[in-house]
Amino acid sequence: MTKIILISGKEKKIINFYPNVFKDEIKTIIGEVKTGDIVDVCSSDMAFVGRGYVTDSTSAFVRVLTTKDEKIDKNFILEKIRKAYKKREHLFNETNCIRAFFSEGDGIPGLIIDKFDKYVSVQFRNSGVETFRQDIINSIKKVMKPKGIYERSDVENRTLEGVEQKTGIVFGEIPERVIMEDNGLKYSIDIIDGQKTGFFLDQRDSRKFIRKYLTKDTKFLDVFSSSGGFSMAALKENCKKVTAIDKEPHALELCRENYALNEFTGDFVTMEGDAFLLLKTLVGRGEKFDVVTLDPPSLIKRKADIHRGRDFFFDLCDDSFKLLNDGGILGVITCAYHITLQDLIEVTRMAASKNGKLLQVIGINYQPEDHPWILHVPETLYLKALWVKIVDN
């Protein structure tokens, strides 16, 4: 087996469960190597420290799967997927849709599996994990027994690593819609054309959190609504008016489907277009709301873009404070790993100060437990939600 010999000292993070070996940490390679190969990672004195697969990546060269001297084969893959699924089974008491496997959080970097009722959406995010696709598909069939599996490997990272993007049915059949039941709400899930792998399952805790602050007098603005997760939560609490903003016509179509699916009768409006421009339009009209949620897509992909991302959030918060009534609540959410909670706190505070608003933090949410945050792997913490309330000054 090919051996990846690390520069002295670089083995420590692998021993401490960090899975990525970067090219500039490698002293030498003994043997031939190509994308997808299983290799041993060794310290500078040739001691075994881990085993993983090679990727054709500009960043991580090896993704470590285990720090034990064990065989990486179809049985290894099966047990990883079985273990991840078993520790989530209790969640089916609350919902019929879960993230069944979360990349580094469950021990196979680059693999995402979402289970939507009796159907599965799978995503192979890098060139290395692509090598194990059939073993993974077979394991999903054996462990989860789905009626159908759909591939959503339509991510930019694959292209960067020289692997074509793929989508399509890989097993069974996939219906046009799957109905998700979650915290007393129903959502129409489009596995084939919906955003991400079909739905933003990672917002479950935040959707539940905000509901306790909503009343029949609340005017709610859901910015970057996608298929209306927050909008439906607001409508469930009989809010006075709910407005959803998104640039994707299909996302707003799903919003309206979800409205009908739940048999809501409240005042619900959708606005299609660029959120930055539509917020300014609402400000110009003198509109006012009691709750605003800002949940943009990942605005930055690289550490170098942090300042640009902070500027985006500042502009969004600035306009939101102009729209909020006294005592109003703002939810500022990011799924960008490189934007930290502290970044959100700082830009929200600066925008509030600009508008003469005093804020109280009423809550902080992260991703739910089926998107496990592993302390040894900082990249597994990506979703941060800051909830603030305007108070008298």
Side-chain angles (χ1 to χ4, degrees):
M1 184 178 293
T2 297
K3 297 184 184 297
I4 307 297
I5 313 303
L6 301 178
I7 294 170
S8 180
K10 296 299 182 181
E11 75 282 356
K12 293 178 182 178
K13 68 174 188 176
I14 306 302
I15 293 170
N16 291 323
F17 310 110
Y18 185 75
N20 296 332
V21 175
F22 301 102
K23 290 181 179 179
D24 62 2
E25 297 172 330
I26 298 172
K27 179 181 179 181
T28 189
I29 298 175
I30 301 176
E32 299 295 321
V33 66
K34 65 180 184 300
T35 299
D37 282 354
I38 298 296
V39 297
D40 280 352
V41 178
C42 302
S43 64
S44 60
D45 59 1
M46 298 296 291
F48 173 88
V49 294
R51 183 167 291 150
Y53 64 81
V54 173
T55 64
D56 186 18
S57 173
T58 55
S59 54
F61 183 70
V62 179
R63 311 278 183 159
V64 176
L65 298 171
T66 181
T67 55
K68 300 175 184 177
D69 185 3
E70 59 184 322
K71 189 174 182 180
I72 307 298
D73 57 11
K74 63 181 181 180
N75 291 322
F76 177 91
I77 298 292
L78 175 63
E79 286 309 308
K80 283 284 188 183
I81 291 174
R82 192 196 305 278
K83 182 179 178 181
Y85 191 64
K86 185 174 179 58
K87 72 181 182 182
R88 292 162 165 83
E89 285 184 322
H90 68 283
L91 293 174
F92 288 121
N93 295 324
E94 304 170 16
T95 181
N96 63 340
C97 299
I98 63 168
R99 172 144 293 178
F101 201 96
F102 178 53
S103 193
E104 290 94 341
D106 288 302
I108 304 180
L111 176 62
I112 299 293
I113 306 172
D114 286 342
K115 188 168 189 288
F116 296 106
D117 195 24
K118 297 177 176 64
Y119 304 91
V120 164
S121 179
V122 62
Q123 190 173 80
F124 304 95
R125 296 185 62 87
N126 64 49
S127 57
V129 77
E130 172 76 16
T131 309
F132 308 101
R133 65 162 37 243
Q134 197 55 54
D135 288 337
I136 289 167
I137 291 167
N138 290 342
S139 296
I140 292 171
K141 289 159 67 175
K142 188 168 185 177
V143 172
M144 302 178 200
K145 298 176 172 56
K147 287 186 174 181
I149 303 173
Y150 194 85
E151 181 175 1
R152 284 296 303 266
S153 300
D154 47 353
V155 291
E156 181 184 5
N157 189 65
R158 284 174 63 94
T159 303
L160 296 175
E161 294 190 17
V163 185
E164 67 176 346
Q165 297 185 19
K166 292 182 182 179
T167 60
I169 296 174
V170 294
F171 167 73
E173 60 182 14
I174 298 293
E176 185 176 345
R177 297 287 189 272
V178 176
I179 303 304
M180 171 179 170
E181 298 178 3
D182 185 80
N183 287 312
L185 283 160
K186 294 179 180 180
Y187 296 94
S188 184
I189 308 298
D190 184 349
I191 293 176
I192 297 172
D193 292 318
Q195 294 178 338
K196 293 279 183 114
T197 58
F199 190 77
F200 288 90
L201 293 171
D202 53 8
Q203 290 290 10
R204 183 185 304 116
D205 289 352
S206 284
R207 290 193 299 268
K208 186 176 181 180
F209 170 83
I210 193 57
R211 283 173 62 175
K212 64 189 173 194
Y213 294 96
L214 308 179
T215 72
K216 62 181 178 60
D217 296 318
T218 301
K219 294 178 70 177
F220 193 103
L221 178 61
D222 182 6
V223 188
F224 305 99
S225 67
S226 185
S227 55
F230 285 111
S231 293
M232 298 309 117
L235 287 160
K236 182 70 173 178
E237 299 302 323
N238 299 309
C239 287
K240 184 176 183 179
K241 182 177 182 179
V242 178
T243 302
I245 290 176
D246 203 280
K247 69 176 182 179
E248 298 293 339
H250 185 54
L252 295 178
E253 176 188 339
L254 288 170
C255 280
R256 293 185 286 270
E257 282 187 28
N258 289 331
Y259 179 84
L261 180 65
N262 287 280
E263 300 180 344
F264 290 134
T265 57
D267 189 352
F268 179 52
V269 177
T270 60
M271 298 178 68
E272 179 186 334
D274 180 271
F276 293 88
L277 297 177
L278 289 177
L279 283 176
K280 294 188 183 305
T281 298
L282 292 172
V283 170
R285 289 182 191 169
E287 297 261 13
K288 288 291 182 179
F289 298 89
D290 301 294
V291 178
V292 175
T293 55
L294 302 173
D295 183 20
S298 182
L299 294 171
I300 64 167
K301 304 293 186 183
R302 303 174 304 161
K303 188 174 182 179
D305 294 331
I306 289 176
H307 292 296
R308 184 165 62 92
R310 285 170 56 102
D311 289 343
F312 282 147
F313 274 104
F314 178 85
D315 290 342
L316 290 169
C317 291
D318 183 23
D319 286 331
S320 296
F321 285 124
K322 292 177 172 61
L323 291 168
L324 279 166
N325 286 317
D326 292 341
I329 292 172
L330 176 64
V332 189
I333 305 164
T334 183
C335 60
Y337 162 68
H338 292 293
I339 294 288
T340 67
L341 176 62
Q342 193 58 42
D343 288 323
L344 290 188
I345 290 170
E346 289 181 8
V347 296
T348 304
R349 174 182 52 77
M350 290 188 293
S353 296
K354 178 184 174 184
N355 288 275
K357 307 294 184 182
L358 180 65
L359 301 180
Q360 173 190 342
V361 176
I362 60 172
I364 294 171
N365 298 133
Y366 301 103
Q367 65 235 34
E369 63 177 291
D370 53 345
H371 299 65
W373 168 17
I374 306 300
L375 280 181
H376 309 268
V377 190
E379 293 90 339
T380 58
L381 172 61
Y382 70 98
L383 186 70
K384 288 81 64 174
L386 172 68
W387 298 92
V388 295
K389 181 181 177 68
I390 298 171
V391 296
D392 291 337
N393 54 17

